[in-house]
Structure formats: C-alpha cells, structure tokens
Amino acid sequence: MVHFLLRRDWLGRLRLALTLFGLPYTVCSPGVRSAISCSSSHPFRTIRPISASCCHLYTTSVRTMPSSAAPHVKSRCPQYPGSKVKRLLVPDDKVDWSQSWPQYNPVSHTDPSVLKKPAWADPDIGSFSPKFNTVDGGVDRTSFGGTYKIEKGKPLNPRGRTGVTSRGLLGRWGPNHAADPIVTRWKVDAKGAKVSHSVSKRPILQFVSIKRKDCGEWAIPGGMVDPGEQVSLTLQREFSEEALNSLAVPPAERVKISERITKLFKSPGFQVYKGYVDDPRNTDNAWMETVAVNFHDDSGNSVSELPLQAGDDAGQVQWVDVDSSFPLFANHSHFLELVAKERKAHW
C-alpha cells in the first residue's frame, strides 16, 4: 500500500487536477463513464431524521461540490455489486431525468438479502404505502438535496438514471441515510514534530481507514443510523465497532476505549459533507446519502494512542496518510480533500 501513498506519477497529478476542477477521474469509454464495482454487506437498518444540531459541528468556507457539477459515476458501474446483474449503460448526456429517452429499459434488481424482509428493509411497493419526502414513522424518507420526484409510486434518484431499478442492496426505497466519521491526527516524527510533505511543504494528516471485506477497497469507517439514534452517536458507534472492534474486547478495555472515544467525539467536529453519495449500490429508486464529520486529534493523545483493530465490516484498519493519489471507496476521496483544505494540510 505504501507505493500508493508515495507515488507522484502522471496519473496522480492528473487525478488531482481533475478533482480541483470538480471533475470525476475514472477512465472513460466512448459515451459512458466507467466506475468501480464494489459490493456491500452493510446492515441497512431503520432510520431516524438526521440533524446537524445533534453534533457539535462547525462549517467553513470549504464547500462540497455542487450536485449538478457532474453526473454520478460509480452509481453506473457496469456490473451491479454483489451480483451478476449488468446495468443498462447510461451515457452522460442521458443521466438526467429531464433528457428524453423513450428506449430506456433498465433491469430490475433487488438483492435476495433484501427480499428476505429483514428489519432494516422496506417491503415491496404495493404491499405498503410509504410516505416519501417526509418522516414516515421511524424512517426518514427526506433527502438532503430537497424534494425528489415520485413516478408510478416509486421515488426517482435525484442524480438521475443508473441503469438499474428497484433497490439492489439497499434496504429503503428512496434515500438510505448513513454517517461517516473521519478521524484524523498529524503525522509526527520520533520527536513528536509534525512531518511536512516534500513537495507541498504542508503538514501531513493521517486518517483511520478500513479495508472493506465486501469489495477490498479502503474507506472511511461508517454505517447506517439506527432508529431513535442521534447522528453523533452513530458516528461514535461505527468508529468504535469498525476501527477498534469494541464489541470483541474485554469489558475493562471497552471502558478505556469508550472514555477516549467519547472525549474525541465531544470535541467540535467539522461537518465535511452532507448529501448524496455516488455509491455503486445506488439504483433509480434507492440511493445513499450521508453526513461526514471530521474529528481531529490535534494533540495526538486521544484515539491516536489506542490500538486499531478491525471489526464489523472491516477486513483491515490502519492510520493512512491523507494524499490525493490514494484510491478510496465511493466519494470518500472528496471528503478527505475537504478535510485537508480545512486543516491546511497536504493533499
């Protein structure tokens, strides 16, 4: 993995340039953007409304890329993750629903795990009548992007066509809300001094990254919001379970972890992103949305001293240098770019 972090070849520079201009940097085939195929075994559970007031958050002039800047890419990956289902390829100029496409005939797919009707999944449309664009019982069916359209009783992905209808691997019709904790620290030398990058001359940030078991990609640890749960607690819980394996450690050790984690997550967090996620699991009728929050261990005496241990959906976990050339799951690279800008760190 080290070669990913250190390389400064033409591809890394091209990716950085494209990112700065708000453009996707996957390789394109004629008329259709390719995307990373990645399955998921995330437990999608019932969801409550997410409010920024649940966290100690602050915002700055660093803003996320406008939703209309570019069509989603990973949501159109040729093969739907965790299956043999091939998406109908959607050209860039046909992604938006406003573009007429009478011949559009996408494949319908709902994963068997969803069809088994677990607690975290909706029934099929027709057997129940969900109230979209509102809080429907314990399920938040509102979108961070505003009101989404309903066609023939089903919600339409606000970012456009994906080449697959129904829910795929996602439990909820419409938005599926998640929370992503981005835990960072400064990279320091043996004397405790910050290490600066040789090219940018800016200090290097490190973040806790997990390697997902389902697709083998590195990612920010995160998960779905439980019913009645504040997003701040979701962030803390998911980090503890995925990066520290808190569910498997002895009770005494769990108390120690809890104290350190609580201290960090009670500190002011920088809300990095709140909105649609370009996720390979998305379909025309179900999509991922998230709140990503950065919690920074500036002094290095909080979670930095805890041993990382993979748990839950994580195959591996470790501190990784924040760097534009390091490939990540979904649009997590964009989240880290915003964190680096906010912290005035190397990217």
Side-chain angles (χ1 to χ4, degrees):
M1 184 181 64
V2 176
H3 73 280
F4 280 120
L5 303 176
L6 298 179
R7 66 175 182 167
R8 271 293 177 272
D9 57 10
W10 67 270
L11 181 57
R13 292 193 293 272
L14 176 60
R15 283 177 170 173
L16 176 58
L18 291 174
T19 301
L20 292 175
F21 282 100
L23 297 172
Y25 51 73
T26 51
V27 179
C28 298
S29 58
V32 181
R33 295 181 190 273
S34 64
I36 296 175
S37 175
C38 180
S39 61
S40 174
S41 57
H42 253 312
F44 285 90
R45 303 177 281 254
T46 49
I47 300 162
R48 73 176 299 277
I50 293 178
S51 171
S53 62
C54 296
C55 296
H56 302 291
L57 306 178
Y58 69 90
T59 57
T60 70
S61 58
V62 178
R63 310 306 298 174
T64 56
M65 188 168 56
S67 61
S68 60
H72 49 196
V73 176
K74 296 186 179 183
S75 300
R76 293 181 284 150
C77 56
Q79 183 169 319
Y80 191 87
S83 75
K84 296 181 179 180
V85 174
K86 301 291 185 181
R87 292 181 187 266
L88 176 68
L89 297 183
V90 182
D92 287 356
D93 61 354
K94 296 296 184 183
V95 172
D96 197 285
W97 294 110
S98 63
Q99 300 301 313
S100 177
W101 192 4
Q103 298 82 15
Y104 183 59
N105 186 28
V107 61
S108 177
H109 174 60
T110 300
D111 192 81
S113 63
V114 178
L115 292 175
K116 290 179 181 178
K117 301 180 180 180
W120 45 266
D122 288 331
D124 280 333
I125 296 291
S127 61
F128 85 131
S129 301
K131 299 177 182 178
F132 294 116
N133 287 302
T134 188
V135 178
D136 183 15
V139 180
D140 182 8
R141 300 189 190 279
T142 64
S143 170
F144 294 139
T147 302
Y148 49 87
K149 297 179 180 179
I150 309 299
E151 185 177 275
K152 297 180 180 179
K154 297 180 181 180
L156 289 183
N157 188 315
R159 292 292 292 272
R161 299 179 175 96
T162 67
V164 171
T165 61
S166 197
R167 284 172 291 163
L169 283 161
L170 302 183
R172 301 295 178 196
W173 294 96
N176 290 255
H177 292 294
D180 292 311
I182 306 172
V183 175
T184 56
R185 69 180 184 185
W186 294 112
K187 186 175 185 177
V188 297
D189 59 21
K191 296 181 179 179
K194 293 180 184 178
V195 175
S196 295
H197 192 268
S198 59
V199 176
S200 69
K201 308 302 181 183
R202 292 192 172 190
I204 298 173
L205 275 174
Q206 293 184 318
F207 76 105
V208 175
S209 180
I210 64 168
K211 189 172 186 179
R212 295 171 60 103
K213 291 180 180 178
D214 52 18
C215 62
E217 291 188 273
W218 289 89
I220 298 164
M224 308 309 294
V225 182
D226 280 339
E229 184 177 48
Q230 294 183 344
V231 66
S232 56
L233 295 180
T234 305
L235 292 162
Q236 182 172 331
R237 171 175 56 79
E238 288 297 331
F239 181 79
S240 298
E241 293 177 5
E242 292 199 358
L244 302 174
N245 199 18
S246 60
L247 298 178
V249 300
E253 186 69 18
R254 194 178 305 168
V255 171
K256 176 183 176 182
I257 290 175
S258 178
E259 290 175 351
R260 294 285 185 94
I261 292 295
T262 300
K263 178 182 178 181
L264 177 67
F265 281 74
K266 280 188 175 180
S267 64
F270 164 46
Q271 183 174 291
V272 180
Y273 182 86
K274 183 178 181 180
Y276 181 88
V277 179
D278 186 9
D279 192 294
R281 295 167 292 184
N282 291 348
T283 72
D284 286 3
N285 308 121
W287 60 91
M288 286 295 300
E289 298 191 8
T290 195
V291 175
V293 182
N294 174 220
F295 295 96
H296 183 59
D297 183 8
D298 193 63
S299 61
N301 61 5
S302 181
V303 294
S304 297
E305 297 179 351
L306 291 175
L308 299 179
Q309 182 178 351
D312 199 22
D313 291 329
Q316 299 178 40
V317 58
Q318 62 188 67
W319 288 98
V320 174
D321 291 358
V322 173
D323 189 283
S324 62
S325 65
F326 186 65
L328 288 171
F329 175 76
N331 55 349
H332 290 186
S333 291
H334 182 53
F335 297 168
L336 287 171
E337 178 190 7
L338 296 173
V339 171
K341 287 182 177 179
E342 170 63 18
R343 303 291 177 189
K344 295 179 173 57
H346 165 71
W347 173 248

